[in-house]
Amino acid sequence: MAMAWTEQEAVHLLNRTTFFTSRADVSVAVRLGQNETVRRLVAGEPLDGAERTILPIEEVLADGKNLKATDIGDQQAYWLYRMTETGAPLVEKMTLFWHDHFATSHRKVNNVALMVQQNELFRRYALGSFYELLLEVGKDPAMVIWLDGNSNKKGKPNENYAREVMELFTLGIGYYSEQDIKEAARAFTGWAVDKNDGYKVSFNPKQHDTGVKRVLGESGNYDEHTLIDVLFHQAALPQHMAKKLLQAFATEDPPAAWIEQVARDFRDSKTVGETLTKLFLSEEFYRPEYRGTIIKSPAEYVAWLVKAYRLPLSKGYTSAMRKMGQELYLPPDVSGWEEGASWLMSTSLLARYQFAESVAKKVKSTMFIEAPYMLGNGATAADYVWSWSRNSGIWSLGEPSENAVKQYAEDTFLYAKSKINGMRGLLQLLLISPEAQMK
């Protein structure tokens, strides 16, 4: 029998692949059906078919001022703008995924243009070939600077990139030896960034080690291309990537059998998009125990609220994101951000609550008298909670949260002539609920 495709399944898929699960998008997804909804998400096509225009950074306003391409803070705000305005949310989510996977920080690169160039590389290959992306990342100027490629020369190889390409980018800890790293570093010699020539990455044959290298049980005169082929011969690579994709989109602790299945899909697919298509069409993905179990990253939390409540762009939002523990273009180290429960440590959680409070205050009063918010005279507290949670993109509330919010509505605005102040409090309670932190 075909898997059920109802509002619940559509909500779960959109929670994992978009930044805001709106009533309109859920309705469209249910109408389109599972196959077409997944196809459009992976293809980067707007679900509703309406084209969106992403303005160049210089035409985007934040706090009433035009953003500047040369300022890293402005670029952070511009990326948030893209998250909230894109018609291809899965592409933007995968751009964020690759930024964490190939974690590179402006703190060391110290060149805004190169960080943005790398970001565009991730966006271009977001759902494309991982093989091609890996080849391009090795020659990306920000990455070369970040992992000291300029010091990787014949006779004196620098092991930084070779180590991370195995440990973090492809295989994972335990699937290589220190000797493998040393030999792989020799294969990557000869590539460098010329700061005097527009930060172009070029190959100097005189600095490349042409000797035979033995890596992961194979021998050859490897270079930056053929060494990647050796990595792709390893069974650990699809396993490593399958686990990371499952942790990002399905569950933080995927079962071994599911990792194995997705690893086979990853190995047999030409693109990451094909792998995710199979995942999003699988019955396993929609099992109830996986719904609402992944903690939103600060970027996802902020983008959700900015989009849901149509807030004008502000650089203060990226500052709030930093206080929550995530600063775009500035991951803490080569391992990227520590995710999951770490996002909800006391100081980070307090920052979320403070941001939710600021959002409740910023929402225009006129929104509260719009039809989706101002219900009829006979509306109960439960009606308000049901309607408002869905307006916010929160499609499921546990009993404790639901009861607390209902009681608040009863005690404040439900029977009052002027409801606005109580309504702001209701909104804030919803946004700090445990369910609001999850996707």
Side-chain angles (χ1 to χ4, degrees):
M1 292 180 63
M3 191 193 76
W5 180 251
T6 69
E7 181 181 272
Q8 288 185 331
E9 286 73 33
V11 165
H12 178 60
L13 176 64
L14 296 179
N15 278 346
R16 298 295 169 82
T17 57
T18 73
F19 293 97
F20 168 48
T21 305
S22 68
R23 285 186 174 191
D25 282 349
V26 171
S27 295
V28 170
V30 171
R31 176 176 55 81
L32 289 175
Q34 181 185 20
N35 287 344
E36 180 61 13
T37 299
V38 170
R39 189 199 68 77
R40 291 190 185 191
L41 286 166
V42 174
E45 298 176 11
L47 284 182
D48 59 6
E51 292 299 321
R52 272 81 166 173
T53 299
I54 300 297
L55 298 173
I57 186 172
E58 296 83 1
E59 296 180 24
V60 175
L61 297 177
D63 307 306
K65 299 179 181 179
N66 291 91
L67 295 176
K68 298 177 181 178
T70 55
D71 184 272
I72 192 64
D74 286 13
Q75 287 289 357
Q76 291 170 334
Y78 183 61
W79 194 358
L80 176 61
Y81 159 80
R82 297 192 70 139
M83 292 178 192
T84 58
E85 295 298 323
T86 182
L90 182 56
V91 171
E92 213 57 47
K93 280 211 165 187
M94 283 303 300
T95 303
L96 186 60
F97 174 89
W98 293 127
H99 177 42
D100 187 40
H101 183 78
F102 295 106
T104 305
S105 175
H106 177 259
R107 189 172 288 105
K108 179 176 179 179
V109 176
N110 197 31
N111 186 304
V112 176
L114 296 187
M115 294 302 299
V116 173
Q117 181 178 319
Q118 186 187 74
N119 189 256
E120 288 297 336
L121 173 67
F122 296 153
R123 189 169 288 109
R124 189 163 65 251
Y125 283 96
L127 291 153
S129 165
F130 179 63
Y131 178 83
E132 293 177 9
L133 173 58
L134 193 58
L135 286 175
E136 292 298 321
V137 162
K139 294 178 280 189
D140 172 71
M143 180 62 75
V144 173
I145 294 172
W146 174 239
L147 292 179
D148 303 306
N150 277 19
S151 301
N152 192 23
K153 300 177 181 180
K154 180 180 179 179
K156 194 177 181 181
N158 183 292
E159 298 173 7
N160 287 356
Y161 181 71
R163 180 177 301 279
E164 306 313 342
V165 81
M166 291 186 186
E167 179 176 323
L168 299 175
F169 303 164
T170 61
L171 306 181
I173 296 174
Y175 294 96
Y176 58 86
S177 68
E178 288 298 312
Q179 187 60 30
D180 289 325
I181 292 173
K182 295 179 185 297
E183 294 288 280
R186 294 172 55 211
F188 292 124
T189 53
W191 290 92
V193 175
D194 188 346
K195 296 182 179 180
N196 297 317
D197 188 20
Y199 286 89
K200 292 180 181 178
V201 175
S202 59
F203 179 68
N204 183 349
K206 294 181 179 179
Q207 294 295 344
H208 176 65
D209 187 332
T210 58
V212 173
K213 301 97 179 173
R214 185 165 179 78
V215 183
L216 298 166
E218 300 184 33
S219 297
N221 178 16
Y222 299 127
D223 58 17
E224 80 290 343
H225 193 295
T226 52
L227 192 280
I228 297 301
D229 291 337
V230 173
L231 295 178
F232 269 77
H233 295 163
Q234 310 305 307
L237 186 148
Q239 291 273 341
H240 181 68
M241 294 308 302
K243 185 175 182 179
K244 292 204 69 169
L245 289 171
L246 282 169
Q247 289 174 327
F249 291 100
T251 175
E252 292 182 355
D253 188 21
W258 202 5
I259 295 173
E260 184 60 41
Q261 176 59 59
V262 176
R264 287 195 295 269
D265 293 339
F266 188 90
R267 184 193 61 218
D268 297 339
S269 299
K270 294 181 180 179
T271 66
V272 173
E274 289 181 27
T275 302
L276 289 181
T277 295
K278 294 172 184 176
L279 176 63
F280 298 149
L281 292 177
S282 69
E283 290 190 28
E284 182 79 4
F285 178 76
Y286 296 92
R287 287 175 59 174
E289 59 264 38
Y290 297 134
R291 299 177 188 178
T293 58
I294 297 180
I295 298 169
K296 294 173 183 172
S297 69
E300 291 172 321
Y301 186 78
V302 172
W304 159 51
L305 292 180
V306 171
K307 185 173 179 63
Y309 288 97
R310 307 193 294 272
L311 302 178
L313 189 64
S314 170
K315 292 172 70 173
Y317 301 154
T318 55
S319 176
M321 200 184 300
R322 174 179 53 78
K323 293 176 183 177
M324 295 178 204
Q326 187 173 35
E327 192 168 12
L328 300 176
Y329 295 112
L330 287 156
D333 53 42
V334 292
S335 300
W337 288 279
E338 185 180 352
E339 301 181 354
S342 66
W343 291 137
L344 300 183
M345 299 294 283
S346 56
T347 54
S348 300
L349 188 59
L350 176 61
R352 287 189 185 228
Y353 289 173
Q354 291 171 334
F355 183 68
E357 180 182 14
S358 72
V359 169
K361 291 178 179 178
K362 287 177 184 291
V363 172
K364 293 181 179 180
S365 297
T366 53
M367 178 177 284
F368 293 120
I369 60 174
E370 293 176 1
Y373 289 88
M374 183 63 75
L375 307 182
N377 291 331
T380 65
D383 293 331
Y384 272 100
V385 173
W386 186 92
S387 181
W388 278 43
S389 61
R390 282 155 180 75
N391 293 343
S392 300
I394 306 169
W395 287 78
S396 178
L397 283 174
E399 187 175 344
S401 296
E402 184 176 1
N403 288 339
V405 180
K406 281 165 56 177
Q407 189 62 54
Y408 179 87
E410 289 272 4
D411 293 343
T412 55
F413 69 84
L414 191 63
Y415 306 108
K417 290 183 179 180
S418 176
K419 302 179 183 295
I420 298 300
N421 289 335
M423 286 183 166
R424 290 189 187 280
L426 175 66
L427 177 58
Q428 183 178 341
L429 279 179
L430 283 170
L431 302 188
I432 66 173
S433 68
E435 294 80 6
Q437 318 310 316
M438 312 300 288
K439 61 180 179 178

